[in-house]
Structures are given as structure tokens and as C-alpha cells.
Amino acid sequence: MAQQDPIEWALSEALRRAATVTDGTVADYIPELAHTDPELFGIAAVGRRGRRFRAGDAEAQFTIQSISKPFVYAMVLAERGEDHVHDRVGFEPSGEPFNAISLDERGRPANPMINAGAIVTTALVEGAGLDERFERLRGTLSAFAGRPLELDDAVYRSESITGHRNRALASLALAAGVLEGTVEDATELYFRQCALRVTTSDLAAMAATLANGGTNPVTGESVVGELVARNTLSLMASCGMYDHAGEWMYRVGMPAKSGVGGGIVAVRPGQFGVGVFSPRLDRAGNSARGVAALTLLSQTFDLHLLGA
Ligand code: GLN
């Protein structure tokens, strides 16, 4: 029998042990997400030299949802510059749920990792018209992944029909003077970015690109510069897991971002990126088994960034 790669064995072990977690529920506030198979569970990692490791349902497809936020943030930071972006969105963890009504004393959403801040960030993607702007955004996220990502039209339409809270957040940002363009354009573009389909293998490559200073280690393409990659990781470290961000940093100690589709990315800067997927979410809206698997990996391999 062929011997299993030791890293893939460690990933399978993390899945096997985390599968004992049975709490959580699949998101259904976007009606189309309720159709996801709750038992899917996959993980993948990509190293700094582009080696890829997989276990479980690593090639199952799901929508990226909020994991798109750091990558769109990186895109606009590179294109529009820090001052332009941060005049409109803050740097601070909100300690509140992802869909909270969050505006600081200057009228800015607390950070680009929660919905209010992400919608303001997405509004900064340039282009002539919504379709061109989406193609540019899709092109950048595809470069992070190293393959063309496709839109899940059913999930997009489902969120576009029901996403009134996000439209309300965009309206508040417009009233505060921090939203560029219209509420309709910003939210439609945001709903499309959230409905891009990925696998854990894609997430691992996207995370590895941030780990590798903005250059995709599989394709060799420089997607963003080193400083932009570092700035993006900083906000993932402080704000990536919403109202669980503090405990996440304490226990796991890696910059990360979750999405209500059930995915999580985590980054060990300078070394590798990991993507995990399991659709049942805990109360903070993070994949329950995904959190368990990454916690186990961090403990087993001493991945905490602040460890000696
Ligand atoms: N599209 C989702 C929303 O805006 C993304 C939220 C998430 O993944 N946390 O509600």
C-alpha cells in the first residue's frame, strides 16, 4: 500500500477528531444555503513552495461568502491606497456579530471584515458598470486561487432577493458619507462576490498567497504587494472571526477568516495557508467543525504565532 504523506495524514487526523463535534446548524437566512449537505468536511493546505495537501471532501464546492472580504480588501488597498480606503472603514475589531450595525464616531464601519465594512470596501472596486467591476473583482480572487472562480447564480439570486439587512447597512454608510456610488450597486457587487464558488483547495491557495507576501506560490503570479498582504493579515488577525476573534487568537493564534457557507481560511505567515469546510455553524457564524479542526492543528503543531 502506498504510504500516506505525513502532512495529509495529519490533516485527516484533524478531520477525524473534529468530526466528533456535532453542534451547529447550516445557515438558512440565505435560503439557498440551506440545501448544503451538512456532513461535508474537507481540508487542504498549500505551502510556500506551492505544494498542495488535501484530506476529506477537499474538492467539494461551496460559496466563499465572507471569506471574500479580506481578498477584496487587499484588492482595493492595492488599487486605491490606504488613505482612501481607511477614510471610509476603520481598523478596529467590533466584538459584534458579522451583520451588526456598526459605525464609529467618524461614521465608518468598524473594520472591513464585517458586512457593513465589507460593503463599503467592495464599493471601491473600480470599473465601468457593475458587470465590468464584478469581472475585475472575480479576476483578482481567481488570481489568488490560481484558477477561474465561477459565480453560483442560485446563491447570488437567493441573497439578492432576501438581503435587506445588508441594503440597510449600505444605506447607513451612504448617509454617513462613507459609501461610494449607490446602495444598489454596492450590495449587488457584494452579493456576487459572496456567491463565488470555491473548494478548500482554492481557499488554501488564496491563503498561501497571503502567507507568501501576495505572490501565489502555485502560479507564481504576484497578485498584491507584500505590504498589502501584511496589512490584510493584520485585520484578519484582529477581526476575521467576528465576535469570536479574541478567543480565536487566544486559542489558535493565526490570522483567519470565516464565511457562512461553512469555509474558513487560516494563514501561517511565511509558511502556508489552510482552507477548511464544514457547513454547520456555531453561534458566531463560524464553521463549528472547522474551528475544531484548526484548533487541533494549531495545538498539535504549535502553529500559534505568538508561541516562543
Ligand atoms: N453574504 C453573507 C452576508 O452578507 C456573508 C456573511 C458571512 O459569511 N458571514 O450575510
Side-chain angles (χ1 to χ4, degrees):
M1 202 173 85
Q3 246 195 321
Q4 195 179 14
D5 174 277
I7 295 181
E8 292 199 334
W9 181 82
L11 294 177
S12 318
E13 267 302 290
L15 290 190
R16 190 183 64 76
R17 291 174 60 197
T20 55
V21 173
T22 52
D23 329 334
T25 44
V26 175
D28 58 5
Y29 75 98
I30 300 173
E32 195 62 30
L33 291 183
H35 303 147
T36 315
D37 174 358
E39 290 309 321
L40 289 169
F41 195 13
I43 191 163
V46 169
R48 212 185 155 163
R49 281 185 283 280
R51 276 191 70 195
R52 204 183 284 268
F53 307 91
R54 302 176 174 93
D57 302 310
E59 300 304 325
Q61 302 221 5
F62 53 97
T63 54
I64 189 168
Q65 299 298 339
S66 286
I67 303 169
S68 60
K69 292 169 180 172
F71 300 98
V72 174
Y73 171 70
M75 176 183 181
V76 301
L77 209 52
E79 290 187 358
R80 310 294 296 267
E82 181 179 305
D83 292 347
H84 190 85
V85 174
H86 282 285
D87 275 347
R88 292 161 177 80
V89 60
F91 295 97
E92 303 305 333
S94 65
E96 290 186 307
F98 65 87
N99 59 3
I101 297 172
S102 147
L103 296 176
D104 69 12
E105 71 289 347
R106 289 173 52 187
R108 303 175 307 177
N111 67 70
M113 303 296 140
I114 53 172
N115 290 8
I119 294 167
V120 165
T121 304
T122 295
L124 299 175
V125 171
E126 291 175 300
L130 196 55
D131 289 343
E132 186 182 311
R133 294 169 73 206
F134 177 61
E135 281 312 309
R136 293 194 60 252
L137 183 156
R138 190 169 78 88
T140 301
L141 266 57
S142 298
F144 271 110
R147 74 166 186 103
L149 302 180
E150 302 295 337
L151 182 73
D152 185 323
D153 207 49
V155 172
Y156 159 60
R157 275 186 283 120
S158 183
E159 187 166 20
S160 177
I161 290 165
T162 56
H164 307 305
R165 189 179 175 94
N166 283 324
R167 291 196 182 88
L169 295 174
S171 293
L172 287 175
L174 183 68
V178 295
L179 187 83
E180 264 189 27
T182 66
V183 166
E184 193 56 20
D185 279 359
T187 48
E188 285 306 303
L189 190 55
Y190 170 77
F191 296 147
R192 289 193 206 179
Q193 97 183 32
C194 288
L196 284 169
R197 248 193 239 120
V198 289
T199 65
T200 59
S201 243
D202 294 325
L203 292 183
M206 295 174 87
T209 302
L210 290 177
N212 191 36
T215 297
N216 184 318
V218 181
T219 64
E221 183 179 355
S222 167
V223 186
V224 292
E226 250 179 70
L227 184 59
V228 166
R230 193 190 77 186
N231 289 338
T232 303
L233 290 171
S234 303
L235 286 176
M236 289 167 72
S238 56
C239 315
M241 301 297 275
Y242 314 121
D243 38 336
H244 186 65
E247 186 173 345
W248 172 269
M249 202 56 203
Y250 182 95
R251 296 198 191 284
V252 183
M254 288 190 277
K257 186 76 203 78
S258 63
V260 290
I264 306 180
V265 291
V267 179
R268 172 80 197 189
Q271 295 188 10
F272 58 81
V274 191
V276 61
F277 168 56
S278 164
R280 277 197 291 263
L281 309 179
D282 63 19
R283 290 224 304 274
N286 301 320
S287 165
R289 283 183 174 172
V291 168
L294 289 167
T295 307
L296 281 165
L297 282 172
S298 175
Q299 285 166 354
T300 312
F301 297 101
D302 276 335
L303 300 178
H304 199 300
L305 282 183
L306 305 178

